[in-house]
Amino acid sequence: MGHILLAEDDPNVAALLKAYLERDGFSLSVCDNGPAALREVFAGKPDLVLLDIMLPGLDGWEICRQVRQASTIPIIILTARIDEADRITGLRLGADDYVVKPFSPGEVVERVKAVLRRGPAGLPAGPTAERDRVLRHGGISLTPSRFEVRINNAALALTMSEFRILEAMMGAPGRVLSRDQLLDALSKSERDVIDRAIDVHILNLRRKLEARIPGSQMIETVRGIGYRLRRDETKENPQ
């Protein structure tokens, strides 16, 4: 099923999640402090990180920030904080999902599976042409089967959520996609994260595209409806 890094300093919570995840076929590494968790992310290269925010030595926010600077490893945040601002912070830092304590361990397992299904390993088998298809738009090429985005042939690192949103938009350039439609491109589990999850992912995606294609304003907001990819962005911009 994959290898999970669980960064959790409560031994009871860690033991419970470990039992449930291993029962479903996952292997686990468990860290009870921030510095050890950060080292394990880069040394062990897990398939997904379950990250508690209130870790000793280095909090989950900083771990998430540092991991996202170098990696697209999926991150699910675990926390007792319920404020909307905290949830938005996690999404802005690049987290793929957010679970508030107390939670059902079975739900956490399902969220892990849902997030991993967004990645290349979870892509359904299909005709070769479908699996190898490349979407192109305004200097961007996106290859779903390889979880790869390139702008003018240079790789662009996106989280899984950002990748799926961009994939949905590139599949329908110029068409307005509602927040519900974009959530459907991710996973039903993310509907429970926060109403503004899509807005935060769009903000992150816009920032990354703007950094590589200055002034492009490729993603438009259609007030009261949703978002769309501009139809007229067809010329590749030089690096």
Side-chain angles (χ1 to χ4, degrees), residues 114-130:
V115 170
L116 289 176
R117 279 197 297 270
R118 301 176 203 166
L123 290 174
T128 300
E130 176 66 16

Side-chain angles (χ1 to χ4, degrees), residues 144-216:
S145 63
R146 295 203 298 267
F147 187 60
E148 179 181 82
V149 177
R150 305 185 75 84
I151 294 182
N152 299 321
N153 294 320
L156 176 68
L158 299 178
T159 67
M160 285 188 182
S161 297
E162 293 161 1
F163 181 89
R164 292 305 183 207
I165 289 171
L166 183 59
E167 180 184 9
M169 287 185 158
M170 289 184 67
R175 176 184 166 193
V176 180
L177 299 179
S178 69
R179 288 176 177 82
D180 281 346
Q181 287 173 311
L182 291 173
L183 279 168
D184 286 340
L186 303 180
S187 164
K188 289 188 176 172
S189 70
E190 189 145 351
R191 289 180 180 276
D192 300 326
V193 179
I194 186 172
D195 290 341
R196 293 173 58 193
I198 287 297
D199 300 329
V200 176
H201 290 317
I202 289 288
L203 179 66
N204 291 337
L205 186 54
R206 275 176 170 157
R207 186 172 63 246
K208 292 180 180 182
L209 293 174
E210 178 70 18
R212 297 291 293 276
I213 312 178
S216 62

Side-chain angles (χ1 to χ4, degrees), residues 102-123:
F103 47 69
S104 160
E107 179 190 357
V108 174
V109 172
E110 292 308 312
R111 285 178 180 264
V112 167
K113 292 178 181 178
V115 170
L116 289 176
R117 279 197 297 270
R118 301 176 203 166
L123 290 174

Side-chain angles (χ1 to χ4, degrees), residues 10-239:
D10 185 323
N12 294 323
V13 173
L16 185 62
L17 287 176
K18 186 174 187 293
Y20 270 76
L21 286 161
E22 288 182 341
R23 187 182 66 183
D24 270 63
F26 292 98
S27 61
L28 266 81
S29 297
V30 181
C31 296
D32 63 1
N33 66 83
L38 189 60
R39 288 193 299 271
E40 183 63 25
V41 169
F42 293 109
K45 296 182 179 179
D47 296 299
L48 182 142
V49 180
L50 282 171
L51 179 62
D52 183 35
I53 293 302
M54 302 302 290
L55 289 171
L58 191 68
D59 68 29
W61 299 135
E62 183 58 28
I63 292 173
C64 191
R65 183 180 294 108
Q66 292 192 36
V67 170
R68 274 294 167 265
Q69 289 176 351
S71 173
T72 59
I73 292 173
I75 297 173
I76 297 178
I77 288 177
L78 307 175
T79 182
R81 296 181 172 182
I82 61 174
D83 291 344
E84 180 176 307
D86 289 322
R87 299 187 185 197
I88 292 174
T89 296
L91 294 171
R92 282 179 175 166
L93 290 175
D96 294 273
D97 206 344
Y98 196 111
V99 185
V100 177
K101 299 177 182 179
F103 47 69
S104 160
E107 179 190 357
V108 174
V109 172
E110 292 308 312
R111 285 178 180 264
V112 167
K113 292 178 181 178
V115 170
L116 289 176
R117 279 197 297 270
R118 301 176 203 166
L123 290 174
T128 300
E130 176 66 16
R131 286 186 282 110
D132 294 341
R133 69 191 172 107
V134 179
L135 301 175
R136 303 182 189 280
H137 187 86
I140 303 172
S141 65
L142 183 148
T143 309
S145 63
R146 295 203 298 267
F147 187 60
E148 179 181 82
V149 177
R150 305 185 75 84
I151 294 182
N152 299 321
N153 294 320
L156 176 68
L158 299 178
T159 67
M160 285 188 182
S161 297
E162 293 161 1
F163 181 89
R164 292 305 183 207
I165 289 171
L166 183 59
E167 180 184 9
M169 287 185 158
M170 289 184 67
R175 176 184 166 193
V176 180
L177 299 179
S178 69
R179 288 176 177 82
D180 281 346
Q181 287 173 311
L182 291 173
L183 279 168
D184 286 340
L186 303 180
S187 164
K188 289 188 176 172
S189 70
E190 189 145 351
R191 289 180 180 276
D192 300 326
V193 179
I194 186 172
D195 290 341
R196 293 173 58 193
I198 287 297
D199 300 329
V200 176
H201 290 317
I202 289 288
L203 179 66
N204 291 337
L205 186 54
R206 275 176 170 157
R207 186 172 63 246
K208 292 180 180 182
L209 293 174
E210 178 70 18
R212 297 291 293 276
I213 312 178
S216 62
Q217 297 181 335
M218 199 166 285
I219 298 176
E220 294 181 308
T221 300
V222 181
R223 294 191 180 280
I225 303 177
Y227 301 95
R228 69 182 170 200
L229 203 63
R230 287 181 182 272
R231 280 187 181 277
D232 58 352
E233 295 290 342
T234 56
K235 295 182 179 181
E236 295 191 359
N237 295 294
Q239 293 288 320

